[in-house]
Amino acid sequence: MTNRGFTTGILHSDRQNAIEHGSLHKPIHTSIAYGQPSGQGIADVFQGKQAGFTYSRQVNPTVNALEDKITGMEQGIASICFSTGMAAITATMLSLLKSGDHVVSSTYLFGNTNSFLMTLANFGIEVTFVDATDVNHVREACRPTTRLVFTETIANPCTQVSDLDAIGQLCAEPNVLYVIDNTMTSPYLFHPKTVKAGLVINSLSKYICGHGNALGGSITDCGTFDWTRFDNILPQYRSGDPSRWGLQQIRKKGLRDTGATLAPHVAHTIATGAETLALRMPAACANAAKLAAWFSTHPKVNKVYYPGLAQHPQNARTKQLFRYPGAIMSIELIETIDCLAFLDKLRLAIISTNLGDNRTLALPVAQTIYHEMGPERRAEMGIGDATVRLSVGIEDYSDLEADFQQALDAC
Ligand SMILES: *Cc1c(COP(=O)(O)O)cnc(C)c1O
């Protein structure tokens, strides 16, 4: 699959293995449990001596087919799917960290990830938040107990781009696990493996699915990390090919024990959406780039945060790392306009949370997804009360511009 094109790989991935009746899609396997031909057979499958299916909370053929597609998209060695992106993040951290460990995380984070990292502190895992747009802040925060460095690619909502390449080099020698949340870019715009990430997280609910009808998450091992030097791998998972130890532990301690399983019906829905990722993403990014340029000359718009603009602080890095600068942006209107009143004037863009939908969504972030964290943490993240995040969809561009134009005119 790796030597085929991105879309060909996704479309033909299921048929790498024989499918009954010549079916073109991997069927939805609803059975929870799988019979084995012998007593020894079931023992061998349970002990990992033979490949096979046991119980669908930890392994299912339909979900495996989606995992293979994601592995191909990320050019990794293996993946595990979860019921949501948050489940993937939670299960990964809980299964690989223990009390006394230290984590360095970008301060510019998806709100729920921020909330979860705060929870880790209750279990004796310390987290230091840094401005990860500069590797020096990450370096200064690292300690002998630092086990994991976490960042997103393009941050939400103010679109900061972390110093992804330099952080990868920083983590490589001490063998600190480098985890990148690739949700905002998707594997079509960026492969975290190219900056030496050990693990990649994707919320499948966003671009990979695209249609906004299914929740899911995944973790992919890039094959770059030396698990034999990672002390937190438990003795029972230090067997077989060492490149698989990390995911082995995440599948057992993370997926099996938390039970945050992706349902096979949902895996099928996500797999169908993923087929068109490479067609949707350029369309959404092109709309976003045009809108960002248009907003930045509009007299009623004060600020535009979009990494594709020349004035964005990480514009050069964005061009170097990503195929396109993404389809998320935030705007701040001039002070005399109330951002909630502006939203009320929109006729096409939908006032809604979520991102990566084919439809354009607009959200006042301080009042919604970043409300719970409070004004201090919002200020640290650069989020103002008037910040409106736009997740730009694949509508015809002229309709989008006309909608924002009429809404601004009416304010
Ligand atoms: C949405 C999102 C998540 C969480 O994904 P869910 O599938 O909603 O749980 C994690 N990270 C980022 C960057 C996201 O945008």
Side-chain angles (χ1 to χ4, degrees):
M1 186 163 162
T2 43
N3 51 1
R4 288 184 172 168
F6 188 86
T7 297
T8 312
I10 298 171
L11 290 173
H12 292 272
S13 157
D14 288 354
R15 299 191 325 122
Q16 301 287 302
N17 301 309
I19 309 183
E20 61 251 51
H21 315 301
S23 174
L24 301 193
H25 290 267
K26 186 73 176 179
I28 300 172
H29 287 271
T30 56
S31 185
I32 290 171
Y34 296 81
Q36 299 298 338
S38 68
Q40 189 58 49
I42 198 164
D44 288 346
V45 171
F46 262 80
Q47 291 170 28
K49 293 177 183 154
Q50 197 188 305
F53 295 93
T54 51
Y55 190 66
S56 273
R57 176 157 26 79
Q58 55 174 314
V59 61
N60 171 280
T62 310
V63 177
N64 278 3
L66 176 61
E67 289 167 349
D68 288 347
K69 277 192 219 286
I70 293 161
T71 302
M73 286 189 245
E74 286 288 2
Q75 298 182 359
I77 57 169
S79 302
I80 302 174
C81 284
F82 293 87
S83 52
T84 64
M86 278 317 299
I89 293 170
T90 301
T92 298
M93 302 260 186
L94 289 181
S95 52
L96 295 181
L97 297 171
K98 63 175 178 6
S99 167
D101 287 345
H102 177 242
V103 172
V104 178
S105 169
S106 167
T107 197
Y108 309 120
L109 281 181
F110 178 65
N112 303 160
T113 304
N114 178 74
S115 162
F116 171 67
L117 292 178
M118 302 293 201
T119 303
L120 284 182
N122 299 338
F123 295 89
I125 298 164
E126 267 190 90
V127 183
T128 308
F129 294 100
V130 297
D131 172 359
T133 61
D134 180 348
V135 68
N136 290 317
H137 301 142
V138 179
R139 182 180 294 113
E140 284 155 19
C142 280
R143 311 172 188 171
T145 52
T146 305
R147 287 279 165 278
L148 190 149
V149 171
F150 182 87
T151 185
E152 296 171 9
T153 51
I154 301 174
N156 181 4
C158 294
T159 73
Q160 297 91 345
V161 178
S162 287
D163 203 350
L164 296 162
D165 193 23
I167 297 172
Q169 291 175 33
L170 175 74
C171 292
E173 192 15 54
N175 204 51
V176 170
L177 183 60
Y178 184 23
V179 182
I180 295 183
D181 181 336
N182 198 26
T183 302
M184 295 286 263
T185 22
S186 90
Y188 185 66
L189 299 189
F190 178 57
H191 286 138
K193 182 184 176 176
T194 59
V195 295
K196 300 194 172 76
L199 297 175
V200 183
I201 285 165
N202 279 288
S203 166
L204 307 176
S205 325
K206 312 289 173 56
Y207 291 106
I208 289 181
C209 175
H211 44 65
N213 281 309
L215 289 164
S218 67
I219 175 101
T220 300
D221 191 322
C222 296
T224 54
F225 187 69
D226 182 0
W227 293 104
T228 64
R229 290 170 61 205
F230 192 73
D231 293 345
N232 290 355
I233 299 294
L234 300 165
Q236 61 269 38
Y237 305 123
R238 292 180 173 269
S239 66
D241 177 359
S243 71
R244 303 301 169 115
W245 290 2
L247 283 204
Q248 197 157 278
Q249 182 156 316
I250 296 171
R251 191 177 285 280
K252 303 289 183 181
K253 292 277 119 187
L255 178 61
R256 183 194 63 190
D257 292 4
T258 64
T261 307
L262 184 66
H265 304 76
V266 180
H268 169 78
T269 303
I270 293 169
T272 307
E275 293 182 354
T276 54
L277 176 63
L279 308 180
R280 293 181 275 108
M281 208 70 200
C285 294
N287 277 347
K290 281 194 237 172
L291 264 186
W294 180 77
F295 279 129
S296 57
T297 59
H298 197 288
K300 289 187 177 169
V301 179
N302 229 348
K303 273 193 200 151
V304 183
Y305 302 91
Y306 181 65
L309 293 174
Q311 63 266 35
H312 187 284
Q314 291 94 38
N315 178 247
R317 182 178 295 160
T318 298
K319 283 194 203 150
Q320 185 204 331
L321 293 175
F322 309 143
R323 195 193 292 252
Y324 303 112
I328 303 296
M329 76 181 70
S330 287
I331 56 172
E332 276 171 30
L333 304 180
I334 52 172
E335 272 161 33
T336 49
I337 303 178
D338 173 27
C339 76
L340 301 184
F342 161 72
L343 291 173
D344 292 345
K345 303 289 182 204
L346 293 169
R347 293 178 190 153
L348 180 68
I350 303 164
I351 307 169
S352 171
T353 188
N354 193 22
L355 54 90
D357 195 294
N358 287 329
R359 296 149 194 78
T360 296
L361 311 177
L363 183 71
V365 286
Q367 297 81 352
T368 59
I369 54 174
Y370 290 104
H371 180 68
E372 184 184 302
M373 66 171 51
E376 248 169 65
R377 187 81 177 90
R378 278 201 296 276
E380 260 172 50
M381 293 183 62
I383 301 168
D385 288 346
T387 307
V388 173
R389 184 188 72 190
L390 302 175
S391 171
V392 181
I394 60 172
E395 294 95 340
D396 298 281
Y397 176 75
S398 54
D399 293 328
L400 289 177
E401 190 187 294
D403 189 38
F404 288 112
Q405 176 74 66
Q406 67 78 25
L408 287 168
D409 284 348
C411 288

